[in-house]
Amino acid sequence: MSPSPDIIVVGGGIVGTACAAELARRGATVTLIEAECLGSGATAAGMGHLVVMDDSEAQFALGRLSRDRWDELSDRLPADAEFENCGTLWVAADDQEMAAVRAKETFYAERELAATTLDAAALYEAEPNLRPGLAGALHVPGDSVVYAPCAARALADEATEHGATVLTGRAVTRIDGQRVLLADGTAITAGRVVNAAGDGARHLTPGLPVRPRNGQLAITDRYPGFVSHQLVELGYLKNAHSSGQDSVAFNAQPRPSGQVLLGSSRQFDVTDPAVDHAMLGRMLRRSLDYLPGLADLQIIRCWTGFRAATPDNLPLIGPHPSHEHLWLATGHEGLGVTTSLGTARLLADLMLEGEPPLDPAPFAPARFEFVGGRHA
Amino acid sequence: MIERNAQVVVIGGGPAGLAAAVAADRAGADSVLLIDANVDPGGQIWRGETRRRPDQRNATAGDTLADFGTSAVLHLGESRVVAAPAPGELLVETAEDVLVVRYGSLVIATGARERFVPFPGWTRPNVMGVGGLQAMVKGGLPIEGKRVALAGSGPLLLAVADSLQAHGARIVLVAEQAPSHKVARFGMGMLMDPGKLGQGLGYAWRLRRVPYRRGWWPARADGRHRSRGDASDAPVSRAVLTNGRGQEIIVACDYLACGFHITPSLELVELLGCATEYDTYQGQRTTVVDGMQQTSVAGIYGAGECIGVGGLECALIEGRIAGLAAAGHPAEAAPLLAERDRERNRAQALNAAFSLRPELRRLADPETVVCRCEDIPLSRLVDLSSWREAKLHTRCGMGACQGRVCGGAVEFLFDWEPRSTRPPLFPARVGTLAAPRD
Amino acid sequence: MRDPAFVTVTVNGQSLDVGRDDTVAVAVARAGLAANRRSVSGHARGPLCGMGVCMECAVTIDGRPGQSGCQIRCRQGMVIETSGEGGRD
């Protein structure tokens, strides 16, 4: 057995691999443990949209930091990570939403993030397959898309290059202080443990203020050029992000393969990973509402995933409030791919006594009251 | 959206499905609906039989298709089950429509498909499956005077060679990977069975001038364009066979038909939550059924190749039992059970004779494409540990065939378990999956 | 008058008479094309399974892409387009 690592990262999704790469690059001895294969949990059930959100200052700050870091990383990503700077179009259906487009543009402009309002004519020039009658869009040219499972693998490779040990196919059954117990009966001890197991984090650390949010996805066969930008309805915030109700929102992404990836839906209190036909149907009808030409295109695969959602939609990044040695990097809900790299930076600064690039307080796990808390 | 309700719904229009539908109808089911992807009933084995003159038909096919034609079964051709949105409910897509089909009981008779083992050149045009080439010929492909080599494994090789020769093809070689002694044992089994004896002797007589090599298998398929010469993806012009002892047979051919036995189509079975298990006799995963052909899900029955490769007679009798049970008359099936068991036992012996030799795992070069939809070569798969990892990290199995071709290959090559239990079962229009339901 | 045993289709603009029971994949072969599509990395491919499983015989029929040519019978006036013929030299 090799000497005990400084840090064990539990979870080989995009957040765990990003943290492992960052910590290893900065000199820590890291062991990353993944239950299945890299990027196989919520990472495989996200769209991989690298987007800066504006729903709170903290979310914006983490999003922008992260997106900048994705841009830096993009040159080092392998081709199969399919990084593509396609930009986002926030589509406005009517004048009311057009007003929201302008407000969003102002928000970004005040923070020096490039974004341009498109009128209807410019929108149709950019995306001719959108249904007639839309009002316009906000174009955010700096947003990109990535195929996250391969990006996670690339980050794990980077961690390995900096001396980290990566264990896959090894399920963690329990985090017990500085000891991590594996399903095969072995135990690994470290100075500190990072729980980055996504939705699985709450099983390993009881009492976490996260609950699973189920999302459905569908992908078409190859139809190059059908859409060219990540398309999101501006009502996304009001439809999908604001309430605790089940909801759908139009979200369509061009993959470099020519496939169209369709989202998004949001369901709480679902435990079945099977495709929910009622929800899938609702989501696809929303897609057809914006892109009627999709009707005859063929879907080749549908799947779902559970994302770890917190009450305030911000992730948990930092020390566990009551468990010494335990750190958290989870609760990223639908934005984990984007914010993984910012999360890794923030976590590493906090753990290795660096200079955090943004205020860590909004992400501090201690902002919540943890129920339970102690292991039985 | 169109709605259809039936007491008994049968999926698959091959022998098992036809037998099930007719049996359910005759047993007095109020309504029987048969859903099939093909235009005409008959499945792969009887493709084209309905379009032949009755006096030219295969006798069993003729009888079964005649029974089906005169029954009250409603036949829904060119239709595919793409999803099961709720218990007792199927979402079905046709070229133009979407149907919601509700059933009281269901018979799954989705059959089997060929297993392909990748070897250099197998992606060339005019290299086809054994059943694949036969289906193309039944679909009108002119084969007269064409040189055809067949290689792979299983009784389909000789049956197809015989059929293609009857259509005027010149069969230049039949290569069976199984060694002579195993095939001989299978042949002895046939000799003990009067029904099979005639069939076997018929092949032997009609194919007497065709080289039939046991213990040989394809090493590669070469190709060249008439005008442009050799090219990596030119149509096949010659097949190179090996016996694993450094010897080769090289034959010029216009078509190379390759199939390595057949494997049950389990997607619908698994989507509906019916149990499957690895069958050691079959050397592959099959559907679990009880003595009345009922799966682990009450009211859902399985018959024919999808519960394990068993051949025509087995499929017919299993279909009849499943149809009677699905119609609520299991007692009437009692006299059929012993015969069914005999057919199943014989099938198991057959499968053992054609088990694939381990050398076939080493046919592919690092650059040989395994996943044809996404062009994923062997070299990208060898270091991976699971089907899911291959899908997530290489796109293997993520294309339009949904892993149906490469899945069977990697199951054999790497012992991975390719399972597909998510809708859509086949590529389906966005409009179909978006169709509102009450 | 048209012989009822035949229908006329076009394959990549070439008009040809095929049997009324011929599949679209067969019509492509009768037009002299062993391959009907280019794979994602540009290789010529033709039919494999003949039963609607492998999608190798996919062609565009009357403007609708991705149709399984081996499962669809030719109809009078059908317009069939392949996405690549011959081989890459």
Side-chain angles (χ1 to χ4, degrees):
Chain A
M1 193 82 211
S2 52
S4 292
D6 300 333
I7 299 170
I8 291 173
V9 177
V10 179
I14 194 73
V15 172
T17 55
C19 290
E22 182 78 14
L23 291 164
R25 197 186 307 119
R26 288 163 65 166
T29 312
V30 176
T31 294
L32 173 72
I33 309 175
E34 161 57 36
E36 201 189 337
C37 62
L38 296 167
S40 57
T43 302
M47 295 185 86
H49 181 202
L50 305 175
V51 57
V52 182
M53 300 295 285
D54 62 346
D55 45 335
S56 70
E57 287 295 343
Q59 193 73 275
F60 174 84
L62 184 63
R64 174 148 73 179
L65 169 70
S66 300
R67 202 187 75 181
D68 288 348
R69 304 196 79 222
W70 274 108
D71 289 342
E72 288 163 35
L73 180 67
S74 62
D75 292 339
R76 308 202 301 277
L77 284 173
D80 61 8
E82 298 184 334
F83 180 92
E84 194 154 287
N85 175 221
C86 61
T88 303
L89 287 177
W90 293 89
V91 179
D94 51 29
D95 290 344
Q96 194 189 350
E97 290 187 1
M98 223 30 210
V101 158
R102 295 201 182 86
K104 204 174 175 72
E105 183 184 22
T106 306
F107 179 94
Y108 287 143
E110 285 168 0
R111 288 156 189 81
E112 295 178 343
L113 188 105
T116 325
T117 298
L118 305 186
D119 63 12
L123 175 60
Y124 290 119
E125 195 174 322
E127 295 290 350
N129 284 315
L130 282 168
R131 74 146 198 267
L134 297 168
L138 184 71
H139 181 214
V140 184
D143 288 349
S144 298
V145 298
V146 71
Y147 178 61
C150 286
R153 196 200 61 230
L155 287 164
D157 287 348
E158 197 162 308
T160 311
E161 280 163 33
H162 289 93
T165 302
V166 176
L167 306 176
T168 58
R170 305 284 290 277
V172 170
T173 53
R174 199 169 154 192
I175 299 171
D176 187 7
Q178 291 171 292
R179 255 161 53 94
V180 168
L181 286 93
L182 304 181
D184 58 15
T186 57
I188 305 176
T189 306
R192 286 175 286 183
V193 178
V194 179
N195 185 349
D199 176 49
R202 65 200 166 91
H203 302 298
L204 296 170
T205 305
L208 282 188
V210 294
R211 61 172 177 155
R213 195 209 85 188
N214 190 241
Q216 320 263 328
L217 286 171
I219 193 162
T220 68
D221 204 346
R222 294 167 184 253
Y223 304 100
F226 185 78
V227 291
S228 322
H229 302 77
Q230 173 93 32
L231 303 177
V232 191
E233 66 168 290
L234 196 75
Y236 182 70
L237 287 180
K238 69 175 182 245
N239 277 323
H241 243 347
S242 56
S243 76
Q245 301 292 307
D246 291 354
S247 58
V248 297
F250 165 62
N251 206 326
Q253 178 181 104
R255 299 299 314 163
S257 59
Q259 293 174 282
V260 185
L261 177 57
L262 298 171
S264 61
S265 74
R266 174 176 157 116
Q267 278 169 288
F268 285 109
D269 306 320
V270 172
T271 52
D272 187 354
V275 168
D276 178 327
H277 280 275
M279 208 63 193
L280 177 72
R282 261 180 80 185
M283 184 181 96
L284 294 177
R285 288 195 291 281
R286 195 81 186 160
S287 303
L288 288 173
D289 189 24
Y290 281 83
L291 290 167
L294 279 173
D296 271 347
L297 306 192
Q298 292 194 306
I299 286 183
I300 58 175
R301 200 164 55 254
C302 299
W303 69 105
T304 73
F306 293 101
R307 294 122 195 201
T310 63
D312 63 2
N313 300 325
L314 291 176
L316 305 172
I317 308 167
H320 189 282
S322 53
H323 291 249
E324 210 183 340
H325 314 297
L326 179 60
W327 291 67
L328 300 172
T330 184
H332 294 73
E333 209 190 331
L335 289 169
V337 178
T338 296
T339 57
S340 57
L341 297 186
T343 296
R345 172 72 199 276
L346 179 57
L347 184 82
D349 283 327
L350 293 171
M351 291 186 83
L352 306 177
E353 291 168 0
E355 188 74 28
L358 43 71
D359 179 9
F363 310 101
R367 72 186 187 275
F368 293 113
E369 282 213 18
F370 280 43
V371 289
R374 280 275 146 211
H375 289 301
Chain B
M1 162 134 24
I2 301 163
E3 295 193 21
R4 286 254 191 281
N5 300 322
Q7 184 191 341
V8 178
V9 171
V10 179
I11 310 300
L18 295 174
V22 169
D25 179 53
R26 286 184 177 169
D30 293 338
S31 50
V32 182
L33 172 65
L34 185 140
I35 299 172
D36 186 43
N38 292 296
V39 182
D40 299 317
Q44 296 310 317
I45 185 167
W46 292 336
R47 195 185 260 258
E49 288 288 338
T50 50
R51 297 185 171 244
R52 298 168 78 142
R53 290 213 320 262
D55 61 307
Q56 292 177 337
R57 285 181 188 173
N58 164 301
T60 313
D63 292 348
T64 309
L65 289 165
D67 288 348
F68 182 72
T70 55
S71 73
V73 177
L74 183 62
H75 176 241
L76 195 61
E78 291 181 280
S79 304
R80 280 179 156 169
V81 176
V82 296
E89 194 176 291
L90 301 171
L91 188 67
V92 176
E93 185 179 274
T94 70
E96 306 299 335
D97 290 317
V98 186
L99 293 88
V100 167
V101 173
R102 294 191 184 84
Y103 56 84
S105 55
L106 183 72
V107 179
I108 302 176
T110 46
R113 54 177 174 264
E114 284 184 273
R115 186 190 295 278
F116 296 104
V117 175
F119 58 89
W122 79 295
T123 53
R124 289 183 185 281
N126 292 348
V127 179
M128 296 185 197
V130 173
L133 180 58
Q134 183 174 42
M136 287 287 289
V137 170
K138 286 178 174 177
L141 182 74
I143 200 74
E144 196 169 345
K146 299 290 186 190
R147 297 163 303 172
V148 178
L150 298 97
S153 198
L156 201 57
L157 282 177
L158 288 177
V160 171
D162 183 42
S163 155
L164 296 180
Q165 183 174 268
H167 279 87
R170 285 170 50 204
I171 309 298
V172 294
L173 179 75
V174 179
E176 163 61 58
Q177 60 88 38
S180 295
H181 66 271
K182 282 198 180 179
V183 180
R185 211 175 301 143
F186 165 66
M188 286 301 290
M190 284 179 80
L191 289 175
M192 308 302 281
D193 176 348
K196 294 282 182 186
L197 177 62
Q199 192 182 31
L201 291 177
Y203 294 156
W205 172 250
R206 290 188 296 273
L207 297 171
R208 64 192 178 281
R209 292 193 227 291
V210 172
Y212 178 41
R213 301 285 191 152
R214 279 138 294 190
W216 287 76
W217 57 90
R220 63 176 200 274
D222 295 335
R224 66 193 321 272
H225 291 292
R226 284 197 191 87
S227 53
R228 283 169 288 168
D230 292 345
S232 64
D233 57 1
V236 63
S237 58
R238 58 182 207 170
V240 180
L241 290 303
T242 178
N243 61 359
R245 296 194 298 272
Q247 295 176 306
E248 288 188 341
I249 299 174
I250 301 175
V251 286
C253 59
D254 302 302
Y255 292 94
L256 171 58
C258 280
F260 294 83
H261 211 17
I262 58 179
T263 184
S265 292
L266 300 178
E267 286 79 11
L268 180 59
V269 168
E270 296 197 323
L271 185 77
L272 293 172
C274 307
T276 61
E277 67 181 2
Y278 186 84
D279 181 325
T280 48
Y281 283 104
Q282 297 257 331
Q284 52 194 354
R285 189 163 280 277
T286 61
T287 309
V288 176
V289 291
D290 67 13
M292 296 309 298
Q293 304 295 136
Q294 187 166 233
T295 68
S296 64
V297 177
I300 301 183
Y301 300 81
E305 313 283 47
C306 72
I307 67 158
V309 175
L312 174 60
E313 284 78 11
C314 196
L316 286 168
I317 194 159
E318 285 176 352
R320 285 165 67 197
I321 296 167
L324 290 167
H329 297 272
E332 291 174 35
L336 304 171
L337 302 183
E339 191 190 339
R340 187 264 325 268
D341 293 344
R342 267 198 308 280
E343 289 295 340
R344 263 289 149 202
N345 289 338
R346 179 163 45 210
Q348 301 300 45
L350 183 153
N351 281 292
F354 295 104
S355 59
L356 299 186
R357 58 172 66 235
E359 291 97 319
L360 298 178
R361 293 199 172 91
R362 299 191 291 273
L363 297 184
D365 290 334
E367 60 273 17
T368 302
V369 163
V370 174
C371 169
R372 302 169 62 117
C373 295
E374 298 289 333
D375 278 355
I376 308 300
L378 181 72
S379 59
R380 295 205 46 211
L381 302 174
V382 286
D383 293 330
L384 305 183
S385 54
S386 70
W387 172 242
R388 178 152 160 79
E389 186 176 15
K391 286 178 83 170
L392 279 178
H393 289 188
T394 73
R395 301 184 63 89
C396 179
M398 298 286 250
C401 92
Q402 302 166 308
R404 283 177 169 84
V405 175
C406 62
V410 300
E411 188 176 32
F412 173 65
L413 293 177
F414 306 123
D415 288 326
W416 293 346
E417 284 227 80
R419 315 286 288 280
S420 169
T421 55
R422 288 203 208 95
L425 289 180
F426 291 93
R429 296 186 294 273
V430 174
T432 297
L433 294 170
R437 303 185 307 112
D438 332 309
Chain C
M1 223 183 93
R2 205 158 51 80
D3 183 336
F6 293 91
V7 294
T8 306
V9 300
T10 64
V11 177
N12 298 343
Q14 171 196 350
S15 176
L16 73 159
D17 291 343
V18 297
R20 53 171 299 142
D21 293 341
D22 285 2
T23 63
V24 167
V26 165
V28 171
R30 285 189 186 275
L33 306 175
N36 54 268
R37 75 171 192 108
R38 292 259 169 214
S39 72
V40 298
S41 50
H43 293 277
R45 295 279 173 75
L48 174 70
C49 79
M51 55 186 275
V53 164
C54 70
M55 304 307 288
E56 285 284 23
C57 64
V59 291
T60 299
I61 301 176
D62 295 336
R64 194 185 264 186
Q67 303 296 298
S68 184
C70 71
Q71 291 294 91
I72 297 170
R73 203 162 276 162
C74 289
R75 288 187 307 273
Q76 176 62 30
M78 199 178 243
V79 177
I80 301 160
E81 289 157 278
T82 71
S83 60
E85 85 302 327
R88 193 171 67 167
D89 287 271

